[in-house]
Structure formats: C-alpha cells, structure tokens
C-alpha cells in the first residue's frame, strides 16, 4: 500500500478526472458518499445529533455532501460553514447549492458567539481543513478547534484532522483537532504514522475513492505501508529437497556476564524463523546457559565474562551482532577489528549500535545493505538530534544513503528506511514494549537473510512477523503478560497466516 503525499494525491485527482472522464464534482461526490456510507453502516439511523463542520474548500465540500446524505436518510444533522475566508472552491459552491435545494440550510460560523452547543452524546464530523493545508489555523477557526477538543465527543475527521499537516510537522499543537477516527482517501498519510502526532490520530481507515491506480503506480511512490498483501509476495516457500545446509547458517555474536538472555533470545529467534543452522559466539560464562536454553544452537566461546577476540571458527552465511554484548574496552577493540575484517552480511543491534556510534569511522567498513535495528535513542546516537519526526526520517534516509545500509527504526509503526524509500509496518501493539523483544527481532531478520532473503525484504518481512505475533497473542495474553519469549509461541501462527495465502 502506497503512502501518498498531498501533492501526489492532488496529481492523482487531476489525472483521474482527465483519464476516466469524471468531473471534479463527481469525484467529490464519490469520496463523500463513501464517508456517508461508513457512518450509515454504523449508526443505522441512530437518533443522535450529528454536527458537520465544513470549511470553504474541497474538504468542506466533502462535508456538505455528507450532510446532504445524512439529511436525506433522516438523521438529525446540523451543518456549519466555518467562514474563515471569502474564497470558495467551485466544488464547494456546487454542493452548497445542492444542500440548499433540499431545504437544509447550512449555519454560518463567523465568531466564537456562533459556536453551537454540543452534548457528550453527539457526534462531530470534521471537514474544515484537508490535506492541502499549508499554515496553522488562526483566529476564531483555531478557537473552534479548541472548543471541539474540549467537548471530547466522538469526532470523525474527513481525510485528515483539521490543522494537521499531511507532509510536515505540527508547529501549533493547540490548532489541531483531536480525531477519534479518520476516514482518509485513497492512502494512509505519513502524518498518521509518526509518534509526534499521537495526540491527534487515534484510529483511521482508508477509503478507496477510485483514483487512477495506473497513474498512481506511475508516480513510483517511495513511501509504503506494509500489510499482509505485500508480505505474501515476499514469502519464500520451502522446497521438498531442502535440508539444513540449504537454509543458511546464522551466527549470533553477543552476550556478557549478566546479559546472556539477549543473545539466547536472538539465537532462538534465528532458529525459529527457519535458519538451517545457528551458532552463537559468546563469553565463556554463558556456555551452559545457552546450551541448556536452546540445545539446537551450536556454541563457541571467547574470554570468560566479555567478548574480546571475536575469533570464531564457524563459517556462517550471515552474522547478527550486538545483543547483550556490552561496551567494555576489550569488547570495543575486538568489535572494531571484527568490523574492519568482516565481509559477510550483518545485522547490528543494541551494543553493536552503541559501539558504532562511539566510533563512527567503522560505518565506512560495513558491508553494503547491512541492517541496523535501533530504537529512537540508539538512532539519535548515530545520526544526531532532530527537531521533529519528519526531519528524523529525512536524516535517516541521508544516513542510509551515505553508508549504503538499511535502517530499522523500532517504534509503534516501525519503519524500514533505505535511501529515499520508507516502509512503515502495519502490525504490532504495545505488548512488544518489553525487554528482549528487540533481540528477538534481530534474530528473526538474521535468520531470514540466512535463508536467502534480500536484506531489505528480510527486514520488512521480519518486522511484520514480529509485530503480528503480538497482534495474534493479545486477546489471550493482554499487554502486561506478553514477554519476548511469547513471540516464539505465536511465531508459527504469524508465518502460517502468510504461507496459507500462497
């Protein structure tokens, strides 16, 4: 699923009007009718009071269409025109007239004294500003948004919450409507996927309004929202002639005294995702722990309590490095030597990232398409601070381009970035916010690369499966009792949900 910018949506609108032979008014009618149908399917002529707030642009035009259909289906609806300008779009004027023709007169709002009374049991439809907004709402319009937020009624935003920018960060949080649910047109918007917009975006769904798909593909959008549809195409079915030697050999390097759990989890994850062989290179103090915890994993050891020499004898396909490794001086020196000599595909996490951030010259020695899996603080140590989430994405893209690497930024919508391309993940929930979850992800991505998945696809597929385990488990475990080890219990279900659709 593509994530389109406001400019791409506007281009697709124009192309659809031209290529399909539809008018802009008809396109608005189709889009707004979809919103009405969503409301109608859920309300089933419930007798609640519905307040539709319309701006004077095309988003307001959508609101006028919705208000018309609500009235024609005998809902209790009031429609308001937020008069923040004398300008009107043609599409707005057509639908304003259509509403008047059925004797449903919109109510003009010109100042605070015009604000209507809204009760807790009412519903608000927000169609004030759309994705074309380029500056913060001001004056009584801003006060209206604040008024609606204080009412805390169920609010459905049309396309995007009013005041929220589609492609840049909020600069006035007091001028953005807090939507209960968003009905957005044609594609998810980047703004919905960023942590800084959490207060304004609760849930959303995409309504297909019939824009020209061939034209959208011709735009070659570089931002994607990864769902099961895309993942099915990535899955590599097993061949009946496969054996352990044909499914790769993962080596997990990590661990230190008191932190053997991390490397144990990563090793088990590489094994559970299907790597034919898995070895672990760890300090000697963890030998018994790992051999007993995961007997299928082969073990090599370094010095007693920390990694120092990195002189493994194994001949792996791919190496995952960093979980529980620590940043002791001897470890840092051994890690530097390893990075400078290694030519194998890498997945780097945790203390591996911390050591890279302390010695960034090592980034120049990373093999092409090395996968880094930082949480936000580890990312900041690597690329520096950022003012907002849009800048964070831009800086990360530049960083990946400079060093020819792949970045997996862990979060509510984990995003995989390579050069100008971004892949936001659709699965997962707060249950994954638990110690060891990231170590499991490192092992999963490493194990997929071992089996021949391209590193980018391994990152996308691995993140999706990792999140899906939490989605499947949640009804049984809740958030609190889910642990990193729970991921293993549901990994098979996550894989089968994909493979059964092949």
């Amino acid at each position: 699923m593509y994530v389109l910018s406001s400019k791409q949506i506007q281009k697709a609108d124009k192309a659809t009007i031209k290529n399909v032979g539809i008018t802009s008014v008809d396109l608005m009618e189709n889009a707004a009718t979809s919103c009405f149908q969503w409301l109608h399917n859920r309300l089933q002529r419930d007798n609640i009071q519905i307040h539709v707030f319309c701006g004077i642009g095309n988003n307001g035009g959508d609101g006028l269409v919705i208000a018309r259909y609500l009235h024609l289906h005998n809902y209790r609806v009031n429609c308001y025109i937020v008069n923040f300008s004398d300008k009107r779009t043609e599409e707005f004027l057509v639908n304003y007239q259509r509403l008047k023709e059925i004797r449903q007169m919109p109510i003009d709002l010109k100042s605070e004294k015009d604000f209507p009374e809204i009760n807790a049991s009412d519903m608000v439809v927000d169609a004030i500003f759309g994705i074309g907004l380029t500056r913060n709402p001001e004056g009584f319009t801003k006060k209206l948004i604040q008024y609606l937020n204080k009412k805390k009624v169920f609010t459905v935003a049309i396309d995007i919450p009013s005041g929220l920018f589609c492609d840049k960060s909020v600069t006035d949080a007091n001028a953005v409507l807090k939507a209960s649910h968003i009905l957005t047109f044609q594609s998810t918007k980047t703004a919905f996927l960023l942590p800084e917009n959490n207060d304004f975006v609760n849930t959303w769904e995409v309504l297909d309004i019939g824009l020209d798909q061939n034209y959208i593909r011709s735009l070659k959008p570089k931002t994607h929202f990864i769902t099961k549809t895309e993942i099915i195409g990535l899955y590599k079915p097993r061949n009946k002639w496969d054996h352990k030697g044909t499914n790769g050999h993962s080596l997990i390097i990590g661990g230190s005294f008191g932190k053997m759990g991390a490397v144990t989890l990563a090793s088990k994850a590489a094994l559970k995702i299907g790597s034919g062989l898995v070895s672990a290179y760890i300090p000697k103090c963890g030998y018994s722990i790992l051999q007993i915890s995961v007997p299928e994993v082969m073990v090599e050891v370094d010095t007693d309590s920390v990694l120092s020499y990195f002189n493994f004898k194994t001949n792996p396909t791919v190496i995952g490095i960093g979980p529980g490794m620590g940043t002791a001086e001897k470890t840092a020196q051994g890690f530097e030597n390893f990075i400078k000599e290694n030519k194998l595909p890498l997945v780097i996490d945790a203390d591996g990232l911390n050591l890279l951030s302390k010695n960034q010259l090592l980034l120049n020695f990373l093999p092409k398409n090395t996968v880094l899996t930082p949480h936000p603080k580890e990312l900041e140590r690597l690329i520096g601070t950022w003012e907002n989430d849009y800048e964070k994405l831009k800086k990360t893209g530049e960083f990946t381009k400079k060093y020819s690497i792949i970045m997996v930024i862990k979060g509510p919508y984990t995003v995989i970035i390579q050069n100008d391309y971004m892949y936001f993940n659709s699965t997962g929930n707060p249950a994954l916010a638990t110690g060891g979850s990231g170590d499991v992800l490192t092992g999963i991505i490493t194990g997929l690369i071992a089996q021949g998945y391209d590193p980018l696809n391994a990152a996308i597929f691995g993140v999706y499966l990792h999140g899906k385990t939490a989605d499947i488990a949640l009804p049984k475990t809740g958030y609190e009792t889910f642990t990193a080890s729970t991921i293993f219990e549901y990994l098979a279900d996550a894989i089968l949900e994909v493979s059964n659709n092949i």
Side-chain angles (χ1 to χ4, degrees), residues 247-315:
N247 287 306
H249 187 166
S250 299
L251 174 63
I252 305 296
I253 300 176
S256 56
F257 185 81
K259 295 182 179 179
M260 288 308 303
V263 70
T264 301
L265 288 168
S267 299
K268 186 173 182 178
L271 183 74
K272 292 284 284 186
I273 198 63
S275 182
L277 296 168
V278 179
S279 293
Y281 184 79
I282 61 175
K284 192 181 296 182
C285 63
Y287 179 81
S288 297
I289 296 171
L290 210 148
Q291 288 275 259
I292 293 170
S293 299
V294 195
E296 300 93 340
V297 171
M298 298 171 284
V299 180
E300 289 189 64
V301 297
D302 198 292
T303 58
D304 188 53
S305 58
V306 297
L307 296 177
S308 301
Y309 298 108
F310 295 80
N311 58 348
F312 53 87
K313 304 300 187 293
T314 299
N315 186 25

Side-chain angles (χ1 to χ4, degrees), residues 72 103 115 192 316 323 374 403 430 438 440 442 463:
L72 290 173
R103 299 187 178 183
F115 293 173
F192 302 167
Y403 295 108
V440 174
T442 295
V463 167

